[in-house]
Amino acid sequence: MNSWLPCLVNELNRGKEPVLAQSLNNGEIGAAVLDEKGKVLAGDIGGTGVFRGAKKLIESMIPGQPLVAVSADKRRFLLDKQVGEKDLNFWKEALTGREEAWGAWLLTMTFTADDSLRVVRHLLAAHGPWTTPELPPDAGEWSLMPLNAALGRLFVFGDDEVAFETAALGGRIGLKVTLVTPKGRDVRARSLQNVGSFKIESVDKWKLLDSGSFERLGLKTGVFVLVTTKDNSTFLADMEKLELGWFGLAGEAAPPGTKSGIFPQAQSPAQKALGIITEMLGNA
């Protein structure tokens, strides 16, 4: 998702002058990074040959002078050449927001005056529930592009199959997942990264986790936390003091006789993970 953003940062880091193409079509949100000849380097705008006719435009583009291109199928795109340290810092900040915030968005507004086009971009980041902003009617054309799925950020503390399956499922549906698991078990966890995009943090021993560890891991107000390891007595009390968006115990960490998730009869770890994720998002 959003492969264009790290590509854009990488190109600027290399001293290149890439062009950001952003959809201006109602109901269509997407962007692509083009090189100086109009070749698509990365992006999530579909359709082959969308920018084939923009080659001559791009070759003659001047930074700071954006323009609108119309494809053969009448789709409209904002083309804007990016160059220099100022643009690099802006997109680095966007990349940081995508990785660290609960949710991050790129707000782009275009204004036309004196036959010239002006583009204003803002980065919006949230660490809790989000609602779409209400812009004034004279704001011109605008789009609000998600830089991440913004379903929430999930931390899983566990070393069993329920922990691994929950991390994989959460990553696959768009949660920003960090799986904390002991060294030795992280090999098994990494084998599941082909079915879900999640980050793995290895710990030497569960008893070494404390409030300082939580801060380093990025536990903040509003994040989701699932604990499945039974070896939680040394850190659970500190964790429960945090203002979490959702907190759950499953697997061997769950109290005796309790069933985790909305499917109490689930047998497989994958089914249990589905029930946990569904309950989490339904009650957050």
Side-chain angles (χ1 to χ4, degrees):
M1 180 181 175
N2 289 325
S3 61
W4 63 269
L5 182 52
C7 176
L8 182 59
V9 171
N10 183 57
E11 288 295 294
L12 286 167
N13 260 324
R14 294 170 58 216
K16 301 293 185 178
E17 297 185 358
V19 170
L20 177 64
Q22 191 171 338
S23 173
L24 288 180
N25 307 293
N26 291 334
E28 180 185 351
I29 297 176
V33 179
L34 317 180
D35 68 9
E36 63 277 4
K37 296 192 178 298
K39 178 183 176 182
V40 179
L41 301 177
D44 48 19
I45 295 178
T48 58
V50 170
F51 303 108
R52 190 174 300 153
K55 178 180 177 180
K56 291 184 178 180
L57 292 175
I58 290 171
E59 288 179 339
S60 61
M61 282 190 71
I62 299 173
Q65 295 183 15
L67 54 85
V68 173
V70 182
S71 65
D73 59 359
K74 306 304 180 184
R75 296 161 71 192
R76 300 170 67 249
F77 299 93
L78 173 67
L79 303 180
D80 195 4
K81 179 171 283 191
Q82 308 295 305
V83 59
E85 198 70 22
K86 182 178 179 181
D87 286 338
L88 176 59
N89 289 337
F90 179 87
W91 294 114
K92 277 184 175 179
E93 185 180 345
L95 193 57
T96 298
R98 190 187 76 160
E99 297 299 326
E100 296 183 359
W102 184 92
W105 295 261
L106 172 67
L107 174 62
T108 301
M109 296 179 287
T110 60
F111 304 87
T112 303
D114 301 325
D115 296 324
S116 63
L117 183 67
R118 186 166 66 94
V119 177
V120 178
R121 290 189 173 96
H122 298 282
L123 299 175
L124 307 175
H127 296 277
W130 170 266
T131 58
T132 303
E134 185 173 333
L135 297 179
D138 59 348
E141 289 187 289
W142 62 277
S143 70
L144 190 65
M145 183 184 301
L147 299 180
N148 59 35
L151 288 176
R153 190 169 183 185
L154 167 63
F155 289 83
V156 179
F157 294 79
D159 47 18
D160 59 358
E161 291 298 313
V162 174
F164 301 154
E165 292 285 352
T166 304
L169 179 60
R172 190 170 188 176
I173 67 170
L175 286 164
K176 297 172 68 175
V177 182
T178 299
L179 171 63
V180 184
T181 196
K183 291 181 178 177
R185 288 295 283 160
D186 53 357
V187 176
R188 165 64 179 139
R190 292 182 199 283
S191 70
L192 289 169
Q193 286 186 299
N194 63 332
V195 294
S197 176
F198 57 92
K199 179 182 178 183
I200 297 174
E201 292 281 356
S202 302
V203 295
D204 291 318
K205 296 180 181 179
W206 289 116
K207 65 181 181 180
L208 298 179
L209 289 178
D210 55 19
S211 56
S213 304
F214 298 153
E215 184 175 348
R216 287 191 296 274
L217 288 169
L219 266 73
K220 303 175 182 178
T221 300
V223 302
F224 306 154
V225 172
L226 174 71
V227 177
T228 69
T229 176
K230 64 179 179 180
D231 299 322
N232 57 47
S233 59
T234 56
F235 67 82
L236 204 60
D238 284 338
M239 184 176 288
E240 290 175 334
K241 295 176 183 177
L242 302 174
E243 296 181 34
L244 303 175
W246 183 91
F247 176 74
L249 299 173
E252 293 186 327
T258 61
K259 298 290 185 180
S260 302
I262 66 170
F263 305 130
Q265 304 305 317
Q267 298 299 314
S268 72
Q271 289 176 330
K272 292 176 181 177
L274 178 60
I276 291 168
I277 291 289
T278 305
E279 179 181 283
M280 177 190 308
L281 295 179
N283 291 283

